[in-house]
């Protein structure tokens, strides 16, 4: 019976930056893009919820698809992660700010808003942590190269 050793799955040091950058820009970007697309498409497809909630979801979803699309195309920085995180926070609180919690018909819209908001906030936090880890690793590598 073979024993699995974790060092076999390690990324070589010379490829670590590219690996972190790929996860940051592509994998996390796809998660953000899918969440943004769901936010934009789902209310239009179902015609469920209050009109103010649908306008909020459609506008923010379209804006986020643009921001995340640019993020995936050109690479990202902490600014795009902050924009996505703030938009996610807005989606979490928007059902309560817009007063959606008082009508029974809007439960689906509220659940969608909160779920997509949580995904966006979590993805932006993970993305910011990856940027931080990459910067620390690059600084450590630069310090190691100095005499």
């Amino acid at each position: 019976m073979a024993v699995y050793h974790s060092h076999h799955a390690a990324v070589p040091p010379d490829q670590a930056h590219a690996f972190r950058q790929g996860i940051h820009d592509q994998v996390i970007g796809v998660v953000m893009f899918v969440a943004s697309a769901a936010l934009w498409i789902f209310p239009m497809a179902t015609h469920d919820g209050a009109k103010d909630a649908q306008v909020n979801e459609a506008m923010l979803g379209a804006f986020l698809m643009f921001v995340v699309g640019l993020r995936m195309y050109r690479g990202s920085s902490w600014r795009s992660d902050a924009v996505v995180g703030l938009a996610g926070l807005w989606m979490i609180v928007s059902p309560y700010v817009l007063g959606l919690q008082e009508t029974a018909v809007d439960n689906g819209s509220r659940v969608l808003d909160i779920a997509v908001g949580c995904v966006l906030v979590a993805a932006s936090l993970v993305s910011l942590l990856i940027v931080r880890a990459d910067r620390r690793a690059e600084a450590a590598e630069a310090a190691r190269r100095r005499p």
Side-chain angles (χ1 to χ4, degrees):
M1 181 170 181
V3 178
Y4 176 76
H5 297 284
S6 63
H7 66 276
H8 292 287
V11 177
D14 59 333
Q15 297 175 358
H17 172 72
F19 179 74
R20 285 189 297 268
Q21 200 66 30
I23 291 208
H24 178 261
D25 290 345
Q26 301 301 318
V27 176
I28 301 295
V30 167
V31 170
M32 290 177 178
F33 192 80
V34 168
S36 302
L39 189 63
W40 185 58
I41 294 169
F42 184 75
M44 289 191 311
T46 61
H47 298 291
D48 188 24
K51 293 299 175 199
D52 55 348
Q54 285 180 337
V55 169
N56 178 49
E57 292 162 346
M59 297 301 288
L60 195 61
F63 172 73
L64 282 175
M65 286 178 67
F66 176 74
V67 168
V68 173
L70 278 177
R71 178 187 190 281
M72 290 172 63
Y73 179 70
R74 295 190 321 184
S76 68
S77 66
W78 64 270
R79 288 181 202 98
S80 63
D81 294 335
V83 167
V84 171
L86 289 173
L89 286 174
W90 169 249
M91 289 314 302
I92 292 171
V93 300
S94 68
Y96 304 103
V97 172
L98 297 175
L100 296 179
Q101 75 275 12
E102 295 179 11
T103 56
V105 195
D106 296 323
N107 283 337
S109 197
R110 180 174 30 150
V111 169
L112 174 75
D113 291 351
I114 293 171
V116 167
C118 289
V119 167
L120 291 172
V121 168
S124 67
L125 288 175
V126 168
S127 183
L128 286 169
L129 288 173
I130 291 171
V131 167
R132 183 178 176 203
D134 194 43
R135 286 184 182 166
R136 284 187 174 186
E138 284 181 352
E141 183 66 29
R144 222 176 313 147
R145 288 181 191 161
R146 280 187 243 154

